[in-house]
Amino acid sequence: MGIHTPAPAPSLEPALEAQRAELGDAPPRRRRIRPSTWAGLAFVAPLVIYLALLYAYPLYENVSMSLHRFTRATFVTGQAPFVGLDIYREVIGSPQFWPIVRQTATFVIVSLVFQYAIGLALAVFFRRGFPLSGLLRGLFLVPWLLPIIVSATTWQWMMDADSGIINRLLGVFGVDPVWWLNADHSLWAVTIANIWLGIPFNLVILYSGLQNVPADLYEAASLDGAGAWRQFWSITFPLLRPVTAITLLLGFVYTLKVVDIVWIMTMGTGTSQTLATWAYSMAFGKGTSAVIKYSQASAVGSILLLVALVMGFVYLFVQRRQED
């Protein structure tokens, strides 16, 4: 007779694991990252590195510089003392600050109004389509494609008080020459040039937005007896609101930071001084004997950044209200 070996007792582990799973006490399982996730991260990584190196880091350095008092010596040594918000108080308390703010507001608002109005009028005009319309649209893009130094130098020559073509044209109608580039009129000179530069951008964006407006709406409005103005205010303008919002936002940000055309035409003298050109002149100076104010320039740059961020949040708020 052989020796009877008792059967092993059944294990309770499967039952305990099932009970823990029912009670929510199951041990967490390690999730494996899918190959598609790694591929996505690989595609995103260059963009993240680019934004971090060329956007986030310079912005951090700009804010940091505005919180430390940098001079020529401390800029080299990097041992500038921390002064908190003292630089901002000095900039805002400067007698130049508020007049420059008003000039900046005038430059931005007037530029935006005329750029948008003329760009919208041209977009509606070209929407109907006619022979050579494509060629004419291409010609309107020339100001946008030209280098800024060429455009600004051309406007500077055209507005010359003695030999400028604009004053010669005014003389035909008996109008006295205007000193466009002197301290009193320089703001209007650079504003006119900036409007000319911004019209093509508004034309392209608004014309693209008009292509998404169904033609059936215009046909139905025509059958109901609506004229061109009625169709514009009841169909075109309301349906262009999303495109209008992003056009004005981008135009605002771009115009707010304009330096090149103002600097080339007037070097920011007189009424043409804006916050952007003021910061540029403090950072790089005018001439070899100019006093460089690194921290003040950074503070003005941070103020411009804050204004642009506020406008961005306003745009997002308006868009969310329209979607709701």
Side-chain angles (χ1 to χ4, degrees):
M1 178 181 289
I3 300 175
H4 175 70
T5 304
S11 176
L12 298 179
E13 286 299 323
L16 293 177
E17 290 182 2
Q19 185 177 6
R20 283 198 298 265
E22 293 178 359
L23 296 177
D25 296 333
R29 296 181 179 180
R30 180 179 298 177
R31 295 183 179 180
R32 297 180 60 185
I33 300 178
R34 299 179 180 179
S36 59
T37 303
W38 286 113
L41 292 175
F43 278 108
V44 172
L47 175 62
V48 173
I49 295 173
Y50 170 79
L51 293 175
L53 292 180
L54 298 181
Y55 284 87
Y57 179 72
L59 289 177
Y60 167 78
E61 287 293 328
N62 182 82
V63 175
S64 175
M65 186 175 292
S66 67
L67 300 176
H68 296 76
R69 190 172 298 279
F70 277 89
T71 61
R72 290 181 183 270
T74 56
F75 185 81
V76 175
T77 61
Q79 298 178 352
F82 179 79
V83 294
L85 299 177
D86 289 351
I87 305 296
Y88 290 90
R89 297 189 187 98
E90 293 176 10
V91 168
I92 296 175
S94 170
Q96 296 176 277
F97 181 76
W98 291 111
I100 292 177
V101 168
R102 288 192 294 269
Q103 292 165 190
T104 304
T106 302
F107 176 69
V108 172
I109 294 173
V110 174
S111 295
L112 284 182
V113 170
F114 281 92
Q115 287 173 356
Y116 176 78
I118 299 174
L120 179 59
L122 291 172
V124 173
F125 174 73
F126 283 117
R127 183 185 183 277
R128 299 184 177 183
F130 53 88
L132 300 180
S133 62
L135 176 61
L136 289 177
R137 284 202 313 271
L139 292 177
F140 272 103
L141 295 179
V142 171
W144 201 17
L145 300 176
L146 285 176
I148 294 295
I149 189 171
V150 175
S151 301
T153 305
T154 302
W155 276 101
Q156 187 182 42
W157 169 77
M158 291 172 59
M159 291 181 171
D160 185 81
D162 298 323
S163 59
I165 189 174
I166 295 180
N167 277 341
R168 294 202 175 193
L169 181 62
L170 293 177
V172 174
F173 297 96
V175 180
D176 294 334
V178 179
W179 292 80
W180 294 101
L181 301 176
N182 70 352
D184 295 330
H185 302 98
S186 57
L187 175 60
W188 301 113
V190 297
T191 302
I192 293 172
N194 189 65
I195 291 172
W196 180 76
L197 286 172
I199 289 174
F201 172 78
N202 286 260
L203 169 60
V204 170
I205 301 299
L206 295 173
Y207 181 81
S208 300
L210 286 176
Q211 303 310 302
N212 297 323
V213 179
D216 298 342
L217 297 178
Y218 293 102
E219 295 177 1
S222 299
L223 294 176
D224 292 339
W229 277 106
R230 184 63 178 174
Q231 292 179 23
F232 174 79
W233 291 112
S234 300
I235 300 175
T236 304
F237 193 72
L239 294 181
L240 275 181
R241 284 178 182 172
V243 180
T244 295
I246 190 62
T247 302
L248 293 178
L249 174 64
L250 294 176
F252 176 87
V253 173
Y254 175 78
T255 308
L256 187 67
K257 65 182 184 64
V258 165
V259 173
D260 39 22
I261 190 167
V262 179
W263 197 262
I264 294 171
M265 291 182 64
T266 66
M267 292 192 70
T269 56
T271 57
S272 65
Q273 184 83 289
T274 64
L275 289 174
T277 58
W278 191 32
Y280 183 87
S281 63
M282 287 191 293
F284 299 99
K286 295 180 181 180
T288 56
S289 61
V291 178
I292 304 298
K293 300 178 180 179
Y294 299 108
S295 299
Q296 289 83 347
S298 299
V300 176
S302 298
I303 292 173
L304 289 174
L305 174 63
L306 180 62
V307 173
L309 287 175
V310 169
M311 291 304 299
F313 285 122
V314 170
Y315 165 77
L316 294 176
F317 175 76
V318 172
Q319 286 295 101
R320 183 170 297 179
R321 289 289 299 271
Q322 290 179 352
E323 293 175 357
D324 295 339

